[in-house]
Structures are given as structure tokens and as C-alpha cells.
Amino acid sequence: MTYTHDIVIVGGGGAGLRAAIAVVEANPQLSVAIISKVYPMRSHTVSAEGGAAAVIRAEDSLDEHAYDTISGGDWLCDQDAVEAFVDEAPKEMLRLENWGCPWSREPDGRVAVRPFGGMKRIRTWFAADKTGFHLLHTLFQTSLKYEEIARYDEWFVTKLLVEDGRVRGVVAIELSSGRIETITAKAVILCTGGCGRVFPFTTNANIKTGDGMALAYRAGAPLKDMEFVQYHPTGLPFTGILITEAARAEGGWLLNKDGYRYLQDYDLGTPQPGPVLRSMELGPRDRLSQAFVKEMEKGRTIDTPYGQVVHLDLRHLGAKLINTKLPMVRELCLDYEKIDPVKDLVPVRPVVHYMMGGVSTDIHGATPLDGLYAAGEVACVSINGANRLGSNSLPELLVFGARAGRAAAEFAAAQPDDGGDWSGILTQAEDERRRLERDLRGREGGGERVSTIRTEMQAAMEQGAGIYRSADSMAKCADALQELRERLPGVSIDDHTTTFNTELIAALELGLMLDVAESIVHSARLREESRGAHQRTDFPERDDVRYLAHSLIHRSADGSPRVEYPPVTITRWPPGVRVYGR
């Protein structure tokens, strides 16, 4: 069976829902489908805790938000995209307010804002520490008003259908039945989120396997700046669950094994003299994570069964503040660590959190492949450069989700209704259906487990392409990934049923993750400098002469990667020193 829509959106999180709403607002005559491998309210946007940055106070300005973002991204941001982002972010936040998002308020009724890492002004809107939940809930409820939006909940997209350089639809599996269907479209928008699961310790949910990035890469769209992987400095050590930056924004301290606020010993980009002890916990995420590694090398971290940790101290904040502004932090600590931050120290360690890189798009979300758009973490527009500032990701998915939706609507409306000859597309779809059926029925037991290869991939990535990297470590990682790629066809699937066959989906996700992992390592090996989240021990300095440029990785016809370096767009702020603090 073949389903047909004008626009197919892959991913039902914040970016996908915002894009869908933008499409029907721009052109109510268009049919829109959202394909999501989970129910939309289980999308990973729901886990965002701390807040969303947008200028609202009189003492703040769009230029200051733009400069903080560009400086925080170590000058790898495209400044035209950043200027559009900071200009539209407040409008999107107010629109969300009008749709019912319950932003926390000041006693006088104004929207409350809190400080966040790398921001010189206080501009982060929040809804306690469940901002992502309320944002996603608001978007989901709003989307239900539009009959033009069809949902394919718990479907998994396995292939983009491309003909003559244009995307014409997707192939997807309905998880509840195992049906493999073709869904044609005039345009496709990828909103599938990031790929943190290619690493072993991550704040990302199990669904964050880089699907959209790999699907675009296989279809011929380039990926941009994939070497820039952000570690968040405060994840719980066993699960990787995020302890939001809001905990430090409200006054939390990071302590080493001696109870010492060790960040005062490191260059976080804060000018001297300055209120270092007050602002140092709100330094940029890349530098806080790097400081942890240095403390570990000095023997000043705490050994646990789940690796080295430091302590996050919230005790001095008091129960009232924690229960009012950080209730989820307390809930997570009690549920997953059996500790109470009101009276106990919280063990934390850096964990992979966010991809600055992704599918290369222009300022409207369009990729170089006609008919294909992307928004949110799956995309690289690029406003995050080499290091995303905390609280920029939620307004990013709103701003560029809306932009991608409007651009895709305009593109789809310009295409002929008959769509031309579909025979080539349907042949591709049939080939994909046969491949999936062979995977389900042809991989007999006795081979390697999906989990074995996945665990080895994650270990190789952490050791070779983690917080600090070198030519040697990345070469070993690349060799390990190549070996795993060769072993992938030998993976066995014991479950041959069609109803919620999670083993088959895990095997398909593993292939996608290996594509993404290889693109990260290959891009990182070629960038011989240190910038933001990409830190090389053998090239410790930033090199603006050679690498003030994006890395654009293409998949060649034989499957090998090819990288080119288009320039960063500079509008008003020439490269300078990263500066933080007040």
C-alpha cells in the first residue's frame, strides 16, 4: 500500500510539531504527515529541563544574545543564521505563551528568567525545571487543532526515496504490525533529533540514534560539523540522566573530592578580575567538561563503580528553592541515586549531550537535496558552531522548525499535483521492502548480538573521540569502527515476529549509528585544531587561518567519506577571544 501526503515530517518532537503547525498555517490546503517512532509526547524534547533563551528584559539586547552565541560557538557559527535566530526567538516564545505554555513568573507577573552558562545576561525563560515537557505539551495540544495533520505514531523510517536529485517520500515500518509501507510526498522535513547513543554515557534517550542524519547522508545530503560533540558537565554517573544546568544557575557548586570549588583554577573564558566564584559554574559546557578531565588527571575526582565523579552541591540552596525551581532534579536524584539534594551531595560526571553538527541546511532549513529539509538537533544551520550555549536549543527548534515548515510548504505548493512518473520511486521502495524482509527472516540465530557490536562501538567512540582527542586515538577508533562495519552483516535476529520487533529495529538503528559514528571520527581526524567541543591534544590551539570553516562530509558513490570546507558566514563580529562573566 502507498500513502500520499504533500509534506512528510520525520520526527514528532518539538521541531517536528512546530514545523507541522507552520505548514498548515502557511497553506491549509496541504496535507501534512508526522511520522514518529514514539508517541509525540515521548519525544526527547520532553526531557529538556533548564529553559529557553530569548531576549525579553529591557537591559538585554538582540546583539548581546547574538554575540554570546557566536563567541560561545568559538566563531564557527554562521552569523546571518544567528541574527535571524535571536530576532525570532522572543516572538516564538511569546507565541508559545499565547498557546498556553505555563512559563514561570515573577511575583509582579512578568515572565521569569534565570542565568545560564555562557550567557552574560539573564535571558533564559523556564517552566520550573520541566521546560521541555511543557513546551512539547503545548505544541502537541496545538497541533491537535489541525485536521490537515495526520500522525503515524510508532512508525520507523528506514529510507528516503530520491529520484533525479529530489526527495519524493520515505519507506517506513509500522512497529505494531511490522507492515512496510511507502509514503510519498512532495517534500520531507527531518526532525529526528541527535545521535548521543553512539556514545556509552549520554543524557540522550534510547531513541536518539542519529536516524535522520544517517538517512540524509545515505540519500546524498551532506552532514556539517559532525566532529563537534557536546558533553554536559553534570550527568548522573550510572544512567547518564541530565542534571540540568538550572541547578548551577540557581547557585549550585561543583566540588572535587576535597570539597573544593575547583573551577576557580581553570580558564573558563571569564575576564579577570571578575566575580569568578559567583559565575564560574556557569562557564561554557565544553570548558567545564574539560576541567573535569584535568581534575581527574590530578587525582582530585571521586572513584565510583561507574567511573570518576565530582560532586554537585545544592544543599545551601534550601528545600524551598529546590522544591520550587528544581523539583525534577530532586525527583531524579531520589529515584535514580537514592539521595536527596536538599541534604546530600550529588555525584555527577560529563556525559554526551548534544550534537552541534547535523544535516547541512540553509537559513530556511533546506538541504542541498531538493525537497529535503531539516530542523532541530538533526540539522546544522549553523547557529551553534563548535559549542552550543545552554538554553539555545529549545528556541532553535521553534525558530527553525517554523522556518523549515514554511519553506517546505512553499516548495510543495509549487510542485505539480500529479507528481510525474512514480515508477522509479516505487521500484526503490519495493527494493527496500525486500531488504527489510530479508533482515527479518534471513538473519538466523547463532551470529553476533546487536548489543555486542553496539557496546564496542560506544566504547571505541568514548576512548577515541571523547572530550580530548588525538590522531592516534582517532585512528584506533576508525579502525575499530571499520571492523564493526564488517561484522554488522553477521548480526543475528532471533525474533522473527512482526509485532513490535524491537530486535529488528535495534539492528537497523545500529547500521545508522555506525554511519554517524564514522562521519564524526572522519571529520574530527581532518580538523587539526582545537575549537570548542573539539579538543585535540596534538593540536591544542584554535587555527582560524585553516579552519575558520565548516566541515562538510559527503558520502561518495562507493560509500567512502569526502570532506570539504566552506567558509563560515561572518556578518558583524570578527573572530575574537571567548569571553564570559559579567
Side-chain angles (χ1 to χ4, degrees), residues 101-176:
C101 188
W103 300 117
S104 293
R105 321 297 291 201
E106 301 288 3
D108 62 4
R110 293 185 302 164
V111 170
V113 288
R114 61 171 38 132
F116 237 68
M119 303 277 189
K120 291 191 287 293
R121 296 284 186 181
I122 300 175
R123 65 170 66 95
T124 296
W125 306 37
F126 61 97
D129 60 351
K130 299 182 180 180
T131 307
F133 170 82
H134 291 298
L135 182 149
L136 187 64
H137 200 162
T138 301
L139 290 171
F140 183 52
Q141 292 289 86
T142 303
S143 75
L144 297 178
K145 297 191 305 183
Y146 298 102
E147 294 181 356
E148 300 89 347
I149 300 175
R151 294 211 325 271
Y152 294 73
D153 294 344
E154 298 184 326
W155 286 64
F156 181 71
V157 173
T158 67
K159 183 179 178 66
L160 296 177
L161 298 171
V162 183
E163 188 173 54
D164 297 329
R166 179 183 152 202
V167 173
R168 306 285 295 277
V170 303
V171 175
I173 303 173
E174 183 183 43
L175 302 183
S176 63

Side-chain angles (χ1 to χ4, degrees), residues 298-344:
K298 295 172 184 175
R300 301 200 301 214
T301 52
I302 301 120
D303 190 23
T304 76
Y306 306 109
Q308 298 294 314
V309 303
V310 292
H311 282 139
L312 176 64
D313 189 359
L314 306 177
R315 298 172 298 179
H316 54 285
L317 302 182
K320 182 179 179 180
L321 185 148
I322 291 172
N323 289 333
T324 301
K325 293 188 173 180
L326 302 171
M328 191 171 177
V329 167
R330 190 177 190 189
E331 180 182 333
L332 291 171
C333 291
L334 287 167
D335 288 349
Y336 290 95
E337 294 288 338
K338 306 302 179 188
I339 58 175
D340 185 350
V342 171
K343 59 184 180 181
D344 300 318

Side-chain angles (χ1 to χ4, degrees), residues 272-442:
Q272 302 290 336
V276 179
L277 290 178
R278 182 180 175 190
S279 65
M280 63 188 171
E281 273 85 9
L282 286 182
R285 291 172 177 175
D286 57 340
R287 293 191 175 174
L288 264 63
S289 298
Q290 292 153 24
F292 172 90
V293 174
K294 297 300 185 183
E295 284 294 289
M296 184 170 63
E297 290 172 349
K298 295 172 184 175
R300 301 200 301 214
T301 52
I302 301 120
D303 190 23
T304 76
Y306 306 109
Q308 298 294 314
V309 303
V310 292
H311 282 139
L312 176 64
D313 189 359
L314 306 177
R315 298 172 298 179
H316 54 285
L317 302 182
K320 182 179 179 180
L321 185 148
I322 291 172
N323 289 333
T324 301
K325 293 188 173 180
L326 302 171
M328 191 171 177
V329 167
R330 190 177 190 189
E331 180 182 333
L332 291 171
C333 291
L334 287 167
D335 288 349
Y336 290 95
E337 294 288 338
K338 306 302 179 188
I339 58 175
D340 185 350
V342 171
K343 59 184 180 181
D344 300 318
L345 294 169
V346 181
V348 292
R349 58 158 288 167
V351 289
V352 167
H353 182 58
Y354 189 89
M355 282 296 297
M356 274 69 74
V359 182
S360 180
T361 75
D362 67 12
I363 201 168
H364 302 292
T367 76
L369 205 56
D370 277 353
L372 182 64
Y373 299 79
E377 191 179 353
V378 70
C380 182
V381 62
S382 152
I383 68 160
N384 297 311
N387 173 64
R388 176 177 68 81
L389 293 191
S391 73
N392 267 354
S393 61
L394 291 180
E396 177 189 6
L397 63 81
L398 295 171
V399 169
F400 292 102
R403 279 178 161 252
R406 291 191 293 266
E410 183 178 355
F411 179 88
Q415 306 308 308
D417 286 337
D418 62 11
D421 182 9
W422 289 95
S423 59
I425 289 295
L426 297 179
T427 298
Q428 285 184 44
E430 181 63 17
D431 289 343
E432 177 69 0
R433 184 186 65 78
R434 291 195 190 99
R435 180 184 77 90
L436 295 171
E437 289 179 345
R438 283 197 304 270
D439 277 347
L440 178 62
R441 298 185 178 89

Side-chain angles (χ1 to χ4, degrees), residues 16-234:
L17 290 170
R18 185 65 189 93
I21 294 167
V23 169
V24 296
E25 287 182 334
N27 190 338
Q29 305 306 312
L30 296 175
S31 165
V32 185
I34 299 175
I35 306 175
S36 177
K37 67 178 176 180
V38 294
Y39 185 71
M41 277 305 298
R42 292 186 61 233
S43 297
H44 196 59
T45 305
V46 79
S47 68
E49 300 170 24
V55 172
I56 190 173
R57 295 289 171 86
E59 62 270 18
D60 199 2
S61 71
L62 299 180
D63 279 1
E64 287 183 286
H65 189 185
Y67 183 80
D68 286 351
T69 298
I70 293 162
S71 174
D74 223 348
W75 270 270
L76 204 71
C77 310
D78 282 333
Q79 295 180 15
D80 57 341
V82 173
E83 291 188 79
F85 164 66
V86 301
D87 177 62
E88 294 175 22
K91 302 167 189 174
E92 286 291 331
M93 302 291 280
L94 289 170
R95 184 174 290 111
L96 217 61
E97 161 98 343
N98 294 335
W99 287 343
C101 188
W103 300 117
S104 293
R105 321 297 291 201
E106 301 288 3
D108 62 4
R110 293 185 302 164
V111 170
V113 288
R114 61 171 38 132
F116 237 68
M119 303 277 189
K120 291 191 287 293
R121 296 284 186 181
I122 300 175
R123 65 170 66 95
T124 296
W125 306 37
F126 61 97
D129 60 351
K130 299 182 180 180
T131 307
F133 170 82
H134 291 298
L135 182 149
L136 187 64
H137 200 162
T138 301
L139 290 171
F140 183 52
Q141 292 289 86
T142 303
S143 75
L144 297 178
K145 297 191 305 183
Y146 298 102
E147 294 181 356
E148 300 89 347
I149 300 175
R151 294 211 325 271
Y152 294 73
D153 294 344
E154 298 184 326
W155 286 64
F156 181 71
V157 173
T158 67
K159 183 179 178 66
L160 296 177
L161 298 171
V162 183
E163 188 173 54
D164 297 329
R166 179 183 152 202
V167 173
R168 306 285 295 277
V170 303
V171 175
I173 303 173
E174 183 183 43
L175 302 183
S176 63
S177 66
R179 287 190 300 133
I180 303 166
E181 303 291 359
T182 303
I183 305 173
T184 61
K186 297 174 181 177
V188 173
I189 309 175
L190 296 173
C191 301
T192 54
C195 60
R197 283 287 155 182
V198 303
F199 289 84
F201 296 105
T202 177
T203 64
N204 289 191
N206 285 334
I207 59 174
K208 297 285 286 293
T209 50
D211 307 345
M213 295 176 187
L215 289 172
Y217 187 52
R218 292 176 178 183
L223 305 180
K224 185 193 298 178
D225 295 340
M226 291 297 288
E227 60 267 45
F228 297 102
V229 180
Q230 182 173 85
Y231 279 72
H232 195 290
T234 55

